[in-house]
Amino acid sequence: MIPTYLKILHDTTHKNPMWACKMLPVLIYWAERSTKPHTYGELSKEVGHRTDQIGSVLGLIDDIFKELRKLKRFKELPTLNCLIVNKTTMLPSNGFSYVSHNYESLSDEEKSQEMESKNRDAYNYKKWNEILKILELKPYMPKDNSSDENTIRKGKYTHHSSEGKKHKALKEYIYNHPEVIGLKNVSSRSMEYTLLSGDRLDVYFQLKDGTQVAVEIKSEISDNADILRGIYQCVKYEAVLKAERCVHCTKGNHYPVKEILVLEGQMPMEKASVASLLNVSYKDNIKPQE
């Protein structure tokens, strides 16, 4: 007799089970290797499904998990559905009420607290490989970046001896309009800000609450290798800012540090996977406006 959870997942009369088979390995991969939620757009890029139709697939995944929780060894199986959030609010959509029935009635702060609690359970869960096996799914394998990695190591990525017009235009646009990348309450800003490692940030912001934000800019002429390099640059910049904070901060003055990779074009799917794995924030399709 076929278990109900397999009947739901492998029902060939509907399309949602097919998409659930694609999404579940990605969600489990993120739960095992990441420590922050991902957007509907990121999930859409990974599996090729329309962003506005992801909710119904997540609902099906919840149905499958409800069946799995009937098994004693999976009684504590956490939800994966609030790993996915709206890009603007950074909260799950109200469709999450299918999982948590009072979700829509909560304040944004309460929604955030519930999301963080449920995601901690997902990050700490130790049986994700067993879940994949019982659902007869293969683990997610990120797309191969070895070619672009070799390009970087050989120094053949897109770069110029002097700053290009497109890069400068996008950099100045972000400097003057931090709100387009979600930054508010800016108290100070700088272009070509020098870190104590000697690296220079394209744009640097300090917010009124003390948060420091390093911004790396990649214009539309940047190739995939240069975008991958930008992800690793953000990792380095965040680490250096945290090191500076460690040296200069007094007790009780522990301000946050953030990094954002800004792309004029669209983030390639395989690069989005690397950014997600390394917890690098990015904003793509940012076009300078007159």
Side-chain angles (χ1 to χ4, degrees):
M1 183 176 179
I2 301 175
T4 304
Y5 52 82
L6 286 181
K7 286 183 179 179
I8 296 172
L9 185 60
H10 299 293
D11 180 1
T12 58
T13 63
H14 298 91
K15 289 185 177 180
N16 279 350
M18 176 191 72
W19 290 112
C21 287
K22 292 183 178 182
M23 289 184 192
L24 266 166
V26 175
L27 294 173
I28 288 174
Y29 181 87
W30 286 344
E32 290 183 315
R33 292 168 175 79
S34 188
T35 56
K36 70 174 186 178
H38 304 268
T39 68
Y40 291 97
E42 287 176 313
L43 183 57
S44 176
K45 286 179 181 179
E46 287 294 337
V47 301
H49 195 34
R50 283 178 52 179
T51 304
D52 60 354
Q53 295 179 355
I54 284 177
S56 61
V57 183
L58 292 176
L60 183 73
I61 289 173
D62 186 64
D63 291 339
I64 293 165
F65 277 28
K66 285 174 182 173
E67 292 298 322
L68 285 172
R69 291 187 191 105
K70 294 177 182 179
L71 302 177
K72 186 176 181 180
R73 68 184 186 276
F74 297 133
K75 184 179 179 180
E76 303 301 323
L77 176 62
T79 183
L80 291 170
N81 288 26
C82 55
L83 288 180
I84 311 302
V85 297
N86 179 280
K87 187 176 183 179
T88 302
T89 65
M90 294 306 293
L91 293 170
S93 71
N94 283 337
F96 187 67
S97 58
Y98 188 75
V99 177
S100 181
H101 300 306
N102 68 334
Y103 182 73
E104 287 189 51
S105 65
L106 301 178
S107 67
D108 284 352
E109 183 178 356
E110 290 170 331
K111 288 178 179 178
S112 181
Q113 290 172 350
E114 178 167 359
M115 178 189 74
E116 289 174 4
S117 175
K118 291 185 181 300
N119 281 347
R120 274 196 303 272
D121 292 339
Y123 300 145
N124 294 325
Y125 193 63
K126 304 301 183 184
K127 297 180 179 179
W128 288 125
N129 281 337
E130 291 183 49
I131 296 298
L132 286 172
K133 288 179 182 178
I134 200 170
L135 293 178
E136 301 176 359
L137 296 173
K138 294 181 180 179
Y140 169 72
M141 295 296 292
K143 292 179 176 59
D144 186 13
N145 284 290
S146 58
S147 176
D148 289 328
E149 290 175 356
N150 289 335
T151 298
I152 293 170
R153 295 188 196 282
K154 292 177 182 178
K156 295 182 179 180
Y157 50 84
T158 304
H159 61 91
H160 304 276
S161 57
S162 59
E163 184 174 44
K165 291 181 179 180
K166 287 186 176 292
H167 183 273
K168 182 179 180 182
L170 182 56
K171 181 174 72 172
E172 291 178 347
Y173 178 63
I174 296 303
Y175 174 85
N176 291 313
H177 301 281
E179 69 277 2
V180 301
I181 58 171
L183 299 181
K184 300 178 181 179
N185 301 316
V186 172
S187 61
S188 64
R189 67 190 79 189
S190 179
M191 286 191 285
E192 299 300 319
Y193 180 84
T194 302
L195 299 174
L196 293 181
S197 61
D199 296 289
R200 290 194 299 178
L201 304 179
D202 285 328
V203 189
Y204 167 84
F205 294 104
Q206 184 165 344
L207 309 185
K208 289 181 180 178
D209 65 358
T211 300
Q212 290 186 319
V213 185
V215 180
E216 175 64 18
I217 303 292
K218 297 298 180 186
S219 74
E220 63 182 9
I221 66 170
S222 284
D223 58 21
N224 282 2
D226 195 33
I227 291 172
L228 181 62
R229 186 176 73 101
I231 294 171
Y232 283 97
Q233 285 176 294
C234 284
V235 173
K236 176 171 65 171
Y237 298 157
E238 181 184 25
V240 174
L241 282 174
K242 286 182 176 178
E244 292 187 20
R245 179 184 66 185
C246 180
V247 171
H248 295 291
C249 256
T250 56
K251 189 174 182 181
N253 185 26
H254 202 68
Y255 53 83
V257 168
K258 296 174 60 177
E259 87 300 320
I260 303 176
L261 176 61
V262 176
L263 307 179
E264 187 172 5
Q266 186 168 342
M267 174 69 85
M269 189 184 303
E270 67 275 13
K271 304 303 178 281
S273 297
V274 177
S276 296
L277 181 60
L278 298 177
N279 290 322
V280 171
S281 301
Y282 68 87
K283 301 287 184 180
D284 58 357
N285 294 312
I286 304 295
K287 310 292 185 183
Q289 304 295 318
E290 293 292 337

